[in-house]
Amino acid sequence: MNLVASVFPLGAALGTIVLPFLIDKHGRKWTMMYLVPPFLAGWIFIIASGMMIAPLLIGRLLTGACGGMFCVVAPMYSAEIAEKEIRGTLGVFFQLFIVIGILYAFCCGYTRSIMTTSILCSLGPLLFGCIMFFIPESPLHYLAVDNEEAAKKAMRFFRGPDYDIDPELHAFKEQVQQRYKEKVTLKSFLNKPVMKVMMLAYGLMISQQLSGINAIIFYAETLFKQTGVDLDSMLQMVIFAVFQVFACVASALLIDQVGRKILMAVSVGTMCVCLVCLVIFFVLKNTDPSKADSIFWLPLASACTYIVAFCLGAGPIPWLYMGEIFPPKLKSVASSSAVFLNWLLAFMVTVSFSSVVDAIGNAGIFSIFAVICGLSTVFVMVFMIETKGKTFADIQRQSGTFTIRLPSP
């Protein structure tokens, strides 16, 4: 079971390795369109696997690889087509549709048929391909390949025929001028400002994956039972997914008002408190069961609050932020490396979680996640750059990456 579960994040991590060779050459839109056939092929392998493990693993590897690549391209595309005033809201939609997809998959599970559930889930990439075919490429990519007329048409599609697109086009030109004609080498990433934004993106990905979100989901059924609520396991997961959807909607409404930095700090800080509460409960469960029984409501309340806090900040913001802070010429490689780290950590957590719990117990594993969330709060408050309401050029000036020059070819 661990092998089947871990193949998906492993595929996602491996998929990001080839992605930089596609994004800048084929563009954001067509990179995503090219992923639709292998995504469907992965679902076909899963549907046809029956009780055979090999096609199931191949299917999960393929869908994982495509999912991991979408995690790079989709936030990049949404950041580049959005007005700066609503870029945060639109960026959160990536996480919102992830949790809506999770809720959809759990609801499909009520068919009690793996084949039927897989068929219903395979409709997602097919629907995406049909819709995305009619949506233009990112104007920023068109400008990067010296196709200004196509960039203007794309911008008019996104802004409307009566909108003054010239200021935004000028800002995009300012961002891409000369940089796309320069050569990217390893030295390109060794500039101090670039290293700073890379470490910032990596730090947010570490905060997300090592925050304990998978542990909370793994323990959902146990936490429900601790409160004396004996619900069907499928219903429990649906309830958790509904919490995630509502929290992501709240995040979309707040992020361009409150800002990324404050929302992220509140998110991981609240998660830290919730994890500490779970540690206290599990310690009492082992040392003073009667006292633990008197606070039977605590684990479920902590878990639900944790889920809401995660979806307010730690879930959506690392994806959104990744699409905002990297210089244009380095964006495909830098974003892919950050997502590779994210999925590699997800793979490691999935593979090792059961063994670590057996070794140090529930209280021990939740203590580790609590410490990581606490450190993440400090990291966000000290190092995170606020990007709310700023153009890409403004963000690069603030981070110091706007004036750097890449090595000559």
Side-chain angles (χ1 to χ4, degrees), residues 236-283:
Q236 294 170 24
M237 301 312 295
V238 168
I239 291 172
F240 265 60
V242 169
F243 268 97
Q244 292 181 76
V245 170
F246 279 110
C248 280
V249 171
S251 179
L253 295 173
L254 291 172
I255 195 163
D256 282 316
Q257 307 299 320
V258 177
R260 286 73 157 146
K261 183 171 183 174
I262 292 176
L263 205 58
M264 184 72 184
V266 170
S267 171
V268 288
T270 303
M271 289 156 62
C272 179
V273 173
C274 293
L275 289 166
V276 169
C277 290
L278 287 173
V279 171
I280 292 171
F281 178 83
F282 283 116
V283 168

Side-chain angles (χ1 to χ4, degrees), residues 201-258:
Y202 290 166
L204 293 182
M205 291 303 184
I206 291 169
S207 298
Q208 184 191 80
Q209 281 300 330
L210 299 186
S211 65
I213 181 62
N214 292 318
I216 294 293
I217 293 174
F218 289 158
Y219 269 86
E221 185 175 359
T222 301
L223 296 173
F224 269 94
K225 287 181 177 178
Q226 293 288 354
T227 62
V229 180
D230 190 12
L231 294 177
D232 174 72
S233 59
M234 189 63 67
L235 180 58
Q236 294 170 24
M237 301 312 295
V238 168
I239 291 172
F240 265 60
V242 169
F243 268 97
Q244 292 181 76
V245 170
F246 279 110
C248 280
V249 171
S251 179
L253 295 173
L254 291 172
I255 195 163
D256 282 316
Q257 307 299 320
V258 177

Side-chain angles (χ1 to χ4, degrees), residues 107-389:
C107 291
C108 290
Y110 276 105
T111 62
R112 307 295 179 182
S113 166
I114 295 176
M115 180 178 291
T116 304
T117 299
S118 299
I119 291 172
L120 291 171
C121 288
S122 70
L123 298 177
L126 190 61
L127 179 63
F128 168 83
C130 293
I131 295 173
M132 194 67 198
F133 183 82
F134 300 99
I135 308 297
E137 177 58 85
S138 158
L140 184 64
H141 175 73
Y142 278 135
L143 289 173
V145 294
D146 296 321
N147 193 343
E148 185 171 341
E149 190 57 37
K152 288 180 179 179
K153 289 181 181 179
M155 189 67 82
R156 288 195 183 99
F157 176 89
F158 292 120
R159 301 292 184 266
D162 301 323
Y163 188 90
D164 183 9
I165 62 175
D166 289 336
E168 279 190 274
L169 279 176
H170 177 74
F172 278 163
K173 287 180 186 177
E174 184 182 25
Q175 187 189 11
V176 303
Q177 190 176 22
Q178 296 182 352
R179 287 167 173 76
Y180 270 89
K181 297 180 174 64
E182 295 170 332
K183 185 179 180 181
V184 177
T185 67
L186 179 60
K187 288 184 178 179
S188 308
F189 296 90
L190 299 181
N191 291 281
K192 188 175 179 180
V194 175
M195 291 177 68
K196 281 182 64 177
V197 294
M198 292 285 288
M199 290 303 105
L200 182 52
Y202 290 166
L204 293 182
M205 291 303 184
I206 291 169
S207 298
Q208 184 191 80
Q209 281 300 330
L210 299 186
S211 65
I213 181 62
N214 292 318
I216 294 293
I217 293 174
F218 289 158
Y219 269 86
E221 185 175 359
T222 301
L223 296 173
F224 269 94
K225 287 181 177 178
Q226 293 288 354
T227 62
V229 180
D230 190 12
L231 294 177
D232 174 72
S233 59
M234 189 63 67
L235 180 58
Q236 294 170 24
M237 301 312 295
V238 168
I239 291 172
F240 265 60
V242 169
F243 268 97
Q244 292 181 76
V245 170
F246 279 110
C248 280
V249 171
S251 179
L253 295 173
L254 291 172
I255 195 163
D256 282 316
Q257 307 299 320
V258 177
R260 286 73 157 146
K261 183 171 183 174
I262 292 176
L263 205 58
M264 184 72 184
V266 170
S267 171
V268 288
T270 303
M271 289 156 62
C272 179
V273 173
C274 293
L275 289 166
V276 169
C277 290
L278 287 173
V279 171
I280 292 171
F281 178 83
F282 283 116
V283 168
L284 289 175
K285 195 72 176 174
N286 292 328
T287 59
D288 193 348
S290 60
K291 186 170 289 187
D293 290 342
S294 68
I295 52 171
F296 65 92
W297 49 268
L298 182 62
L300 183 58
S302 299
C304 290
T305 305
Y306 176 98
I307 289 290
V308 170
F310 178 85
C311 290
L312 278 175
I317 289 176
W319 304 117
L320 158 68
Y321 205 68
M322 181 183 62
E324 295 181 317
I325 62 173
F326 293 128
K329 184 62 176 177
L330 307 181
K331 186 179 286 188
S332 61
V333 177
S335 297
S336 296
S337 68
V339 175
F340 174 82
L341 175 62
N342 183 287
W343 284 107
L344 181 63
L345 291 172
F347 169 72
M348 293 169 60
V349 170
T350 305
V351 167
S352 62
F353 180 75
S354 298
S355 300
V356 174
V357 170
D358 291 340
I360 64 176
N362 298 330
I365 192 69
F366 284 118
S367 295
I368 293 173
F369 292 137
V371 170
I372 291 172
C373 285
L375 294 175
S376 298
T377 307
V378 176
F379 174 82
V380 167
M381 294 304 297
V382 174
F383 296 108
M384 192 170 176
I385 301 166
E386 182 54 70
T387 59
K388 180 187 73 170

